[in-house]
């Protein structure tokens, strides 16, 4: 069952964050504005492994976004900063080997 998270305008909202998890997984994020206006803002994805940190990846918000955590992403977090109030629906699916 997908879960929904409100994302207020102009502030970072944690969509999810995981620590010490190394199994691959995928997520689909579906953003929508309550008033039907266009989607705008940033998505920050942080992926790192136990020893090797990586810089955060900044992506422009899209109505539908697909994310993947790999085997070595021990620390993985996703945050959104929309330019207007949005709601995100988070759908998770496990990646099979």
């Amino acid at each position: 069952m997908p879960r929904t998270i409100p994302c207020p305008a102009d502030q970072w909202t944690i969509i999810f964050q995981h620590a010490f998890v190394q199994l691959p997984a995928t997520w689909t994020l579906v953003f929508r504005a309550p008033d039907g206006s266009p989607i705008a803002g940033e998505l920050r994805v942080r992926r790192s492994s136990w020893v090797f940190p990586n810089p955060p990846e900044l992506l422009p918000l899209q109505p539908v976004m697909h994310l993947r955590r790999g085997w070595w992403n021990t620390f993985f977090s996703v945050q959104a900063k929309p330019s207007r109030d949005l709601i995100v629906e988070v759908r998770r699916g496990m990646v099979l080997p």
Side-chain angles (χ1 to χ4, degrees):
M1 175 104 189
R3 67 184 174 113
T4 58
I5 301 168
C7 298
D10 299 319
Q11 68 181 28
W12 288 106
T13 299
I14 296 171
I15 297 175
F16 57 82
Q17 58 186 5
H18 304 137
F20 302 105
V21 178
Q22 292 182 309
L23 294 175
T26 60
W27 292 267
T28 299
L29 307 178
V30 180
F31 290 93
R32 67 179 191 280
D35 62 0
S37 58
I39 305 302
E42 288 184 300
L43 189 76
R44 180 167 54 195
V45 180
R46 292 184 178 167
R47 304 167 202 254
S48 63
S49 59
W50 180 248
V51 179
F52 305 105
N54 294 313
E57 181 179 7
L58 291 175
L59 305 168
L61 281 183
Q62 302 293 322
V64 177
M65 300 185 78
H66 302 284
L67 300 173
R68 182 181 185 345
R69 179 182 65 211
W71 283 104
W72 298 105
N73 299 135
T74 307
F75 300 97
F76 188 76
S77 68
V78 176
Q79 299 173 319
K81 184 180 180 183
S83 57
R84 61 181 49 89
D85 291 346
L86 297 178
I87 296 170
V88 61
E89 182 179 295
V90 181
R91 302 174 188 168
R92 183 173 176 184
M94 197 67 173
V95 174
L96 299 175

